[in-house]
Amino acid sequence: MAEGVAAAAGAGADANTAGNPTEVAMAYLQDETDADMASLNLGELDITTDEFILDEVDIHIQANLEDDLVKEALKTGVDLRQYSKQVEAELQRIEQASIKDYIKESQNIALLHNQITACDSILERMEGMLSGFQSDLSSISSEIQTLQQQSVSMNVRLKNRQAVRSHLSQLVDELVVPGAMISTILESPVTEQEFLEQLHELNTKINFAKELSFRETLACADIQDIVDRLKLKAVSKIREFILQKIYSFRKPMTNYQIPQNTLLKYRFFYQFLLANERTVAKEIRDEYVDTMSKIYYSYFKSYSGRLLKVQYEEVADKDDLMGVEDTAKKGFFSKPSLKSRNTIFTLGQRGAILSPAELEGPILVPHTAQRGDSRYPYETLFRSQHYALLDNGCREYLFLSDFFMVAGNSALDLFNSIMGKTLSMFLKSMSTYVSDCYDSIAIFLCIHIILRFRAITAKRNIPALDKYWEAVLELLWPRFELILEMNISSIRNTDPQKLGVLDTRPHYITRRYAEFSSAIVSINQTFPNERTNALLGQLQIEVENFVLKMAAEFPSRRDQLIFLINNYDMMLSVLMERAADDSKEVEGFQQLLLARTQEFIEEILSPPFGGLIAFVKEAEALMEKGQLERLKNDEARITQLVRGFSSTWKQSVEAMSQDVMRSFTNFKNGTSIIQGALTQLIQYYHGFHKVLNQPTFRSLAVRSELINLHHLMVEVKKHKPNF
């Protein structure tokens, strides 16, 4: 019903829109008011409907009670009917005021309505224009899609044509043999750079022609003839050039490394032959192998023979063993007047051959050495010979790998075909020499030269000489061990009674051992060998037994100890000069020397101070058992010991010092023994003091005659020799 009233009011307003604006506004406001009232009266007061629910009424009442105005009215006790009338009157007043405001603004409202109507017409026209634009754009979009499809199709055709053109262009370029190539291959010397460049191009065309022939390309037949003729011409010129270089190696006094370097510059020549004419490539390779094999064999045979002419004439023989007595020797040890001797038991300066400077130093020039009347030990000649082999072998292996394009086993086989004859000659001559060699230090130095050369070739990554190094070591090791075992046996079988006059000074056999052992130990430090260490241990045991057998020949224990100490000290001094301080040999002789020195100190203290020492030892033993009272009746003995020591100790110490210094060849060792003896004497006298301070002997009057221990120490220091 309210909607009908509103519709009627709206229709009336529309009918009078073109009339008075005030009337239009009034009609509009009246319609709104009537609609609100109708809605209020009919909506809220309709209690006849079947959907009315008391619970909803309660909720509605409760919500109204929560209203602030209702709460205020209830608090003040205002009559709700009266209050409702007031509210209604107020609403009517406000309504009238609102109507007046609308009437006041009626002109503006009517103007706004006209403007909106004008805008609607404008927007309608714009809508028509935009619809036209949309239809135009749709047609343009379809045209663009058509053009895009055409562009993609054209692009694909272009790429296909370019691909075909590229392949055809490459094919034509590879098939065409330019005139510059023909003239260069036919006329230019092979050493010119232009020939090398055109040879690369020719090789490419040959390979391309082979590929086309496999594909049965008809165009290949057009160029096959000219390519084959150019190939034959190039092969002929290259063959002539390389063979000429190889033949130049054969000229006397030629440095073959120069033509080798020239061939390396043109290594592509052999590659070209190998790819296109294997028969010629094999001919060149065989010719090179035959030529270089003869050159190396001739050079090293001549060089080795000339080296042997500058070797020492005096060499060790089977009688030059460590245990052989000097009086029975002939030859090596009977010629001390030689200006330069190759001593077989002393390393001397021979070990310098293993230093990096000499190991990789220039090789010996035999004729220069002969003019200077110079002579060298075998290991020096051996080093020079094998360093020449190492240098030439490494260079040759690298040349073969580079020029002939071989690697692995193929390179090793080619190297052995060239150097095999030379290496066999080396092994044969070395076997002959070694079988009659008794210079163990020379053999051992040669072993370590080979070990270092093997390390050098491994560092250079050259495996060509590995088998040769092993073969040389298999020759040298057994010989070295045999000579060492012969020396061990010679010492074991030595008869001390046949070695001449007894002497407490170091024996020449022990000096030989000390020099030899220190030499082997010092050399063996870089590349230790357990077999060598074991043999040195056997040699040391035999030398220790020999020293004991020699010492047993002396009648007195004192002379035996002097002999033992002198020999142990000498061997220890020589070993410590070259071997490490912690080596087994050094430690073993240090223990032996310490034990014999302590025994000798007791031996030299016994004659002048034996009674005092015996009494102190006896008294200390009884003190430990608590039986010191058993010596209470030895007052006379104690008195004699106290007065005897006080009156003679200075003379005894002086005589003992002089005797020790005369007995030992090493002044430092003699001084150490004297100091040890004096220290031991003070300890014994200190023990004598302790014994007499015991209650058992405190009543002895002779205690007042004891020398003050501190005074004794001061006086003893005066007798220590200084060197």
Side-chain angles (χ1 to χ4, degrees):
M1 183 176 181
E3 294 175 357
V5 174
D14 290 338
N16 297 322
T17 300
N20 192 350
T22 303
E23 293 177 356
V24 174
M26 288 297 293
Y28 177 76
L29 292 175
Q30 185 64 40
D31 292 341
E32 291 294 324
T33 303
D34 292 344
D36 290 340
M37 292 302 293
S39 176
L40 178 62
N41 293 333
L42 298 176
E44 294 182 0
L45 299 179
D46 186 11
I47 60 174
T48 61
T49 178
D50 293 338
E51 297 178 359
F52 179 76
I53 301 173
L54 291 177
D55 291 340
E56 293 181 0
V57 174
D58 290 340
I59 294 172
H60 187 66
I61 293 172
Q62 188 64 33
N64 289 335
L65 289 175
E66 295 296 328
D67 187 83
D68 292 338
L69 293 176
V70 175
K71 286 182 179 181
E72 185 66 24
L74 291 175
K75 285 182 182 180
T76 56
V78 177
D79 186 1
L80 292 178
R81 293 185 181 89
Q82 186 64 32
Y83 184 72
S84 176
K85 291 178 180 180
Q86 290 178 1
V87 171
E88 185 174 354
E90 183 66 24
L91 289 174
Q92 289 178 355
R93 185 183 63 76
I94 294 172
E95 180 183 356
Q96 292 299 323
S98 297
I99 291 171
K100 290 178 181 180
D101 288 338
Y102 276 111
I103 293 171
K104 184 179 178 181
E105 295 294 332
S106 60
Q107 293 290 336
N108 294 333
I109 293 173
L111 180 61
L112 178 62
H113 178 73
N114 292 332
Q115 290 175 350
I116 291 173
T117 302
C119 286
D120 284 342
S121 63
I122 293 170
L123 290 174
E124 185 176 358
R125 289 197 302 272
M126 290 183 66
E127 183 180 2
M129 292 173 62
L130 291 174
S131 296
F133 289 158
Q134 185 177 6
S135 62
D136 293 340
L137 288 174
S138 297
S139 62
I140 292 173
S141 176
S142 63
E143 292 178 1
I144 290 173
Q145 290 179 353
T146 302
L147 291 174
Q148 185 178 7
Q149 293 173 356
Q150 293 176 355
S151 175
V152 171
S153 177
M154 292 175 66
N155 189 34
V156 171
R157 290 199 299 271
L158 176 62
K159 288 182 178 179
N160 291 337
R161 290 180 180 179
Q162 288 177 341
V164 171
R165 180 180 178 181
S166 174
H167 286 295
L168 288 175
S169 176
Q170 181 180 359
L171 178 62
V172 172
D173 290 342
E174 295 292 347
L175 286 174
V176 172
V177 180
M181 176 185 293
I182 297 173
S183 61
T184 301
I185 296 296
L186 294 177
E187 301 172 3
S188 297
V190 296
T191 55
E192 290 188 1
Q193 182 64 26
E194 186 179 0
F195 180 87
L196 186 60
E197 293 174 357
Q198 293 299 332
L199 188 66
H200 277 280
E201 290 294 327
L202 177 61
N203 189 56
T204 303
K205 292 187 181 298
I206 293 172
N207 293 333
F208 190 71
K210 290 179 182 178
E211 183 181 350
L212 291 180
S213 65
F214 290 140
R215 298 179 184 177
E216 298 182 355
T217 304
L218 297 178
C220 178
D222 296 339
I223 65 164
Q224 190 66 50
D225 182 58
I226 189 170
V227 168
D228 288 343
R229 283 188 287 172
L230 286 176
K231 181 181 73 173
L232 291 175
K233 183 62 176 178
V235 167
S236 175
K237 294 177 71 173
I238 291 171
R239 175 182 176 276
E240 181 181 356
F241 170 75
I242 295 179
L243 288 178
Q244 181 183 0
K245 290 296 179 186
I246 294 174
Y247 293 151
S248 68
F249 296 169
R250 302 176 180 179
K251 295 179 181 179
M253 306 301 293
T254 297
N255 183 357
Y256 61 86
Q257 296 174 11
I258 296 176
Q260 271 187 340
N261 293 333
T262 303
L263 288 176
L264 285 178
K265 289 172 58 179
Y266 302 103
R267 62 175 63 85
F268 181 72
F269 288 173
Y270 184 79
Q271 182 180 346
F272 181 84
L273 294 177
L274 196 63
N276 299 289
E277 199 63 49
R278 287 186 172 270
T279 304
V280 177
K282 184 177 185 302
E283 177 191 3
I284 288 176
R285 176 169 163 169
D286 292 344
E287 193 66 34
Y288 178 84
V289 168
D290 182 64
T291 299
M292 293 307 297
S293 176
K294 292 177 180 178
I295 288 174
Y296 281 125
Y297 180 79
S298 174
Y299 166 72
F300 279 108
K301 184 178 181 181
S302 173
Y303 183 67
S304 300
R306 291 197 302 268
L307 279 180
L308 292 178
K309 294 180 181 179
V310 295
Q311 184 183 0
Y312 281 132
E313 295 178 0
E314 296 79 16
V315 295
D317 57 28
K318 62 182 180 179
D319 294 325
D320 292 317
L321 299 174
M322 199 175 297
V324 175
E325 60 274 16
D326 274 345
T327 55
K329 291 192 62 61
K330 295 180 180 180
F332 189 87
F333 289 103
S334 62
K335 295 182 179 180
S337 60
L338 287 174
K339 183 178 180 181
S340 179
R341 287 181 58 186
N342 177 18
T343 54
I344 62 173
F345 296 118
T346 303
L347 183 63
Q349 297 301 316
R350 297 169 73 183
I353 196 73
L354 299 178
S355 65
E358 291 201 26
L359 190 69
E360 300 183 56
I363 63 174
L364 290 177
V365 181
H367 61 270
T368 303
Q370 283 180 304
R371 283 202 300 265
D373 199 25
S374 299
R375 291 293 182 268
Y376 301 94
Y378 177 73
E379 66 272 8
T380 301
L381 310 181
F382 182 88
R383 196 281 318 175
S384 183
Q385 181 188 46
H386 282 80
Y387 187 69
L389 174 65
L390 181 148
D391 191 42
N392 285 276
C394 289
R395 185 182 293 107
E396 186 64 30
Y397 180 82
L398 293 175
F399 174 81
L400 295 175
S401 301
D402 196 359
F403 185 79
F404 291 104
M405 297 180 297
V406 289
N409 291 332
S410 298
L412 293 177
D413 292 341
L414 184 59
F415 178 84
N416 289 330
S417 64
I418 294 175
M419 300 294 295
K421 190 176 179 181
T422 300
L423 299 180
S424 298
M425 181 264 294
F426 269 21
L427 291 174
K428 184 177 180 180
S429 62
M430 197 181 312
S431 176
T432 302
Y433 176 83
V434 167
S435 63
D436 196 37
C437 177
Y438 294 89
D439 187 352
S440 53
I441 290 182
I443 298 292
F444 200 59
L445 285 171
C446 291
I447 289 173
H448 279 263
I449 288 171
I450 294 298
L451 292 175
R452 284 160 173 79
F453 282 168
R454 185 172 65 179
I456 291 173
T457 55
K459 186 178 180 181
R460 296 181 182 178
N461 198 23
I462 305 294
L465 292 170
D466 288 352
K467 290 185 178 180
Y468 174 74
W469 300 140
E470 294 299 328
V472 173
L473 292 176
E474 288 176 2
L475 276 176
L476 297 178
W477 274 118
R479 186 63 187 179
F480 172 73
E481 293 173 359
L482 175 63
I483 298 172
L484 202 53
E485 289 171 353
M486 292 173 65
N487 281 289
I488 293 172
S489 299
S490 70
I491 294 177
R492 183 188 301 121
N493 299 328
T494 298
D495 185 359
Q497 295 181 355
K498 296 181 180 180
L499 296 181
V501 181
L502 291 176
D503 192 343
T504 57
R505 290 175 296 180
H507 199 274
Y508 58 84
I509 291 181
T510 58
R511 177 168 291 280
R512 292 175 190 169
Y513 162 76
E515 295 287 353
F516 177 78
S517 181
S518 64
I520 299 301
V521 169
S522 63
I523 296 171
N524 200 43
Q525 288 175 351
T526 307
F527 294 92
N529 179 268
E530 292 301 324
R531 174 63 178 162
T532 302
N533 292 334
L535 290 172
L536 285 178
Q538 295 180 22
L539 181 62
Q540 180 180 350
I541 292 173
E542 295 301 332
V543 169
E544 291 175 4
N545 293 336
F546 165 76
V547 173
L548 292 176
K549 287 192 296 184
M550 285 297 300
E553 296 295 315
F554 291 92
S556 68
R557 183 58 181 168
R558 179 179 176 280
D559 289 341
Q560 292 176 1
L561 291 173
I562 293 173
F563 177 79
L564 291 173
I565 291 172
N566 276 331
N567 281 274
Y568 291 153
D569 177 65
M570 180 273 298
M571 289 188 286
L572 187 61
S573 299
V574 174
L575 283 169
M576 291 183 69
E577 287 181 6
R578 296 186 180 274
D581 292 343
D582 58 349
S583 65
K584 292 188 297 184
E585 291 80 7
V586 171
E587 291 179 355
F589 285 116
Q590 281 178 336
Q591 295 174 1
L592 290 171
L593 177 62
L594 182 62
R596 299 290 79 78
T597 299
Q598 194 61 38
E599 184 180 353
F600 180 74
I601 288 173
E602 295 290 338
E603 186 72 22
I604 60 175
L605 288 176
S606 180
F609 309 108
L612 177 68
I613 294 172
F615 177 79
V616 170
K617 290 181 177 179
E618 182 183 1
E620 288 178 347
L622 292 174
M623 284 172 61
E624 290 181 1
K625 298 178 182 180
Q627 301 175 0
L628 193 60
E629 294 293 332
R630 295 172 58 179
L631 297 176
K632 188 175 182 180
N633 298 326
D634 288 351
E635 181 177 353
R637 177 186 176 190
I638 294 171
T639 301
Q640 181 182 358
L641 290 175
V642 172
R643 291 173 179 172
F645 183 85
S646 300
S647 61
T648 63
W649 76 269
K650 289 185 179 181
Q651 296 85 345
S652 299
V653 166
E654 183 66 29
M656 182 178 64
S657 298
Q658 293 178 0
D659 182 43
V660 168
M661 296 311 297
R662 285 194 302 268
S663 300
F664 296 99
T665 56
N666 185 347
F667 288 158
K668 183 178 179 181
N669 185 41
T671 302
S672 176
I673 292 174
I674 292 173
Q675 291 177 351
L678 295 178
T679 301
Q680 189 66 31
L681 176 61
I682 292 173
Q683 289 179 354
Y684 279 132
Y685 200 70
H686 179 253
F688 190 57
H689 268 257
K690 287 176 62 178
V691 171
L692 296 186
N693 283 334
Q694 297 298 316
T696 305
F697 303 111
R698 284 179 182 172
S699 59
L700 295 178
V702 77
R703 288 180 66 249
S704 61
E705 299 180 25
L706 286 171
I707 300 174
N708 181 271
L709 195 61
H710 179 71
H711 175 71
L712 179 63
M713 293 173 65
V714 172
E715 290 294 325
V716 162
K717 286 182 180 179
K718 297 179 181 179
H719 290 81
K720 287 184 178 180
N722 296 316
F723 293 96

